[in-house]
């Protein structure tokens, strides 16, 4: 039989009902002489026709529907969502018989069986269930709730409870380390070293935790962290063969990383030297250059010294863009040597496939221009070497790309006029 405590609200309702029942009934003539008194007598009589509210219903009679629903959801039976807190973890533990330490140890044993069968994911889940049970107990101790229970139970029971705490922490430490082993096998390296860190907070002399941390750090190339974890483990057990093997792997990986870094440093130094040589070569030839905020993507096409980029005596080579503004077409010449002329490349570029009218039949049928730094145009001789064009005219190489406008002779004059008018409008608007 279950005895429920009656709340103050329910008790007050019972008193009111009893007082109304003890009132003497009014005489008929009094009732007729005093109608208001008669109406007041009818109210309790009407209420008596309906059953009294149950204690639970009486407690919620003054609450809104939302408040009642919220109260129900806070009751385990009606919960639709479980929060990660001590109470929900305790409810999970109640599904199994035994103390939290016994329940967690059972999960650990089942996880070990899966691990021996190389079922890493299943083993991880069992270890995780055990961790949830004992982590809830750790949170209770952190909030001081179990200290209060020790004080209430007395000194003798408190000592027994302290033994239980030691047992729980030993099992929890083992669960963390075992789950870390699963993460290591599954390639979840960050989860691995986090579980190892949790185990080391419980016992900073756990060699397995240091070993698995070192393996996880090494797997992602974090050699310094791996070396530190391995060194701490060997400081505890210098004869541990597994840690010694990891130490050898760390040394080998460290040598590889050092060699890789050395090569990268050499590559950067070499590139920097080549850039210096290239700038010196451009300056010595009087070629002006400029870079914009959004350079075009040209893959491997760039200004360089050939055949040897490390030899200042090498010739300059430029990527050149041939623009056909009358037909909105273009061609890219990736390697245009400073000693070569436009005619050398136009000879194999022309005629183009899209020139149905035959306006670009040969280099003799076209005129070529470059834009000057001031926004004007300069006519380029098709037989002049590129170096002469870039060094003598008031032009510049923008974003390491030389641009030539190629037009049919019949349309060149009209296009030049339109170009200058457009530039004049732009300058006037600015």
């Amino acid at each position: 039989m279950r005895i429920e405590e009656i709340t103050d609200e329910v008790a007050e309702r019972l008193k009111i009902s009893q007082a109304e029942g003890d009132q003497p009934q009014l005489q008929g003539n009094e009732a007729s002489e005093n109608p208001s008194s008669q109406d007041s007598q009818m109210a309790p009589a009407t209420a008596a026709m309906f059953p009294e509210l149950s204690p639970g219903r009486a407690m919620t009679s003054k609450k809104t529907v939302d408040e009642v629903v919220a109260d129900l959801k806070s009751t385990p039976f009606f919960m639709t969502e479980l929060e990660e807190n001590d109470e929900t973890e305790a409810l999970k533990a109640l599904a199994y018989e035994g103390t939290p330490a016994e329940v967690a140890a059972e999960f650990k044993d089942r996880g070990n069986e899966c691990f021996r069968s190389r079922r890493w994911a299943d083993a991880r889940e069992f270890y995780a269930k055990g961790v949830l049970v004992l982590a809830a107990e750790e949170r209770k101790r952190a909030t001081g709730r179990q200290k209060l229970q020790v004080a209430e139970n007395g000194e003798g029971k408190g000592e027994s409870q302290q033994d239980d705490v030691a047992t729980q922490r030993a099992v929890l430490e083992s669960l963390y380390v075992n789950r870390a082993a699963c993460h290591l096998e599954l390639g979840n390296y960050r989860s691995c070293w986090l579980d190892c860190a949790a185990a080391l907070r419980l016992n900073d002399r756990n060699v397995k935790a240091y070993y698995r941390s070192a393996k996880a750090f090494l797997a992602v190339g974090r050699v310094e962290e791996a070396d530190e974890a391995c060194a701490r483990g060997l400081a505890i057990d210098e004869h541990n063969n597994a840690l010694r093997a990891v130490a050898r792997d760390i040394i080998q990986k460290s040598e590889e990383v050092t060699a890789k870094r050395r090569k990268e440093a050499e590559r950067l130094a070499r590139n920097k030297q080549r850039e210096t040589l290239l700038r010196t070569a451009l300056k010595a030839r009087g070629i002006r250059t400029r870079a914009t905020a959004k350079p075009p993507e040209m893959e491997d096409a760039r200004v360089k010294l050939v055949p040897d980029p490390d030899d200042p005596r090498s010739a300059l080579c430029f990527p050149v863009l041939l623009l056909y503004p009358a037909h909105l077409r273009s061609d890219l010449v990736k390697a245009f040597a400073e000693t070569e002329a436009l005619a050398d490349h136009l000879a194999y570029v022309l005629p183009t496939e899209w020139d149905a009218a035959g306006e670009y039949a040969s280099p003799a049928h076209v005129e070529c221009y470059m834009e000057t730094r001031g926004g004007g145009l300069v006519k380029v001789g098709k037989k002049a070497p590129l170096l002469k064009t870039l060094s003598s005219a008031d032009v510049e190489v923008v974003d390491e790309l030389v641009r030539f406008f190629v037009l049919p002779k019949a349309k060149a004059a009209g296009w030049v006029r339109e170009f200058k008018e457009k530039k004049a409008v732009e300058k006037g608007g600015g």
Side-chain angles (χ1 to χ4, degrees), residues 149-339:
Q149 293 178 5
V150 171
E152 292 175 352
N153 292 336
E155 186 177 353
K157 291 185 178 180
E159 292 177 358
S160 174
Q161 193 170 22
Q162 299 239 346
D163 294 338
D164 292 341
V165 170
T167 302
Q168 288 180 15
R169 286 182 172 169
V171 175
L172 181 58
E173 174 192 349
S174 180
L175 285 166
Y176 276 129
V177 173
N178 289 1
R179 188 170 68 173
C182 296
H183 286 309
L184 190 62
E185 294 292 343
L186 293 169
N188 303 327
Y189 300 118
R190 184 174 182 275
S191 297
C192 176
W193 68 62
L194 289 178
D195 272 351
C196 290
L200 290 170
R201 282 195 293 270
L202 295 169
N203 177 15
D204 61 359
R205 296 184 62 81
N206 191 308
V207 176
K208 288 183 179 180
Y210 287 120
Y211 166 75
R212 286 163 189 164
S213 294
K215 291 278 288 184
F217 282 125
L218 188 61
V220 296
R222 295 172 62 167
V223 181
E224 290 80 5
E225 290 95 329
D227 185 47
E228 182 180 356
C230 187
R232 292 190 180 214
L234 287 173
I236 298 169
D237 184 5
E238 62 180 348
H239 301 295
N240 188 286
N241 291 329
L243 279 172
R244 283 175 172 269
V246 174
R248 289 192 292 271
D249 293 339
I250 291 173
I251 292 172
Q252 181 180 353
K253 186 69 173 180
S254 179
E255 291 174 351
E256 293 174 0
V257 170
T258 301
K260 185 177 180 181
R261 288 176 179 173
R262 184 174 59 252
K263 288 181 179 179
E264 180 65 14
E266 292 173 354
R267 185 187 68 82
L268 293 175
R270 184 169 58 254
N271 287 345
K272 186 175 181 180
Q273 182 182 7
R274 288 177 177 177
E275 290 175 2
T276 302
L277 286 174
L278 186 59
R279 286 195 302 268
T280 303
L282 290 167
K283 186 176 181 180
R285 290 163 172 81
I287 299 175
R288 291 165 289 273
T289 61
R290 178 168 60 90
T292 64
K294 295 182 178 180
E297 294 183 4
M298 299 185 295
E299 298 178 355
D300 58 341
R302 57 185 178 81
V303 181
K304 53 189 174 182
L305 288 168
V306 292
D308 185 0
D310 298 316
D311 187 354
R313 295 171 297 180
S314 296
L316 282 171
C317 191
F318 298 83
V320 173
L321 185 64
L322 302 176
L323 298 166
Y324 308 99
H327 294 80
L328 301 179
R329 300 276 185 167
S330 64
D331 284 313
L332 177 64
V333 180
K334 288 188 175 183
F336 197 128
E338 62 181 345
T339 56

Side-chain angles (χ1 to χ4, degrees), residues 396-414:
E396 60 184 355
V397 179
V398 181
D399 293 326
E400 299 192 35
L401 182 65
V402 178
R403 295 170 175 84
F404 287 116
F405 297 106
V406 181
L407 292 118
K409 285 186 175 182
K411 296 181 179 179

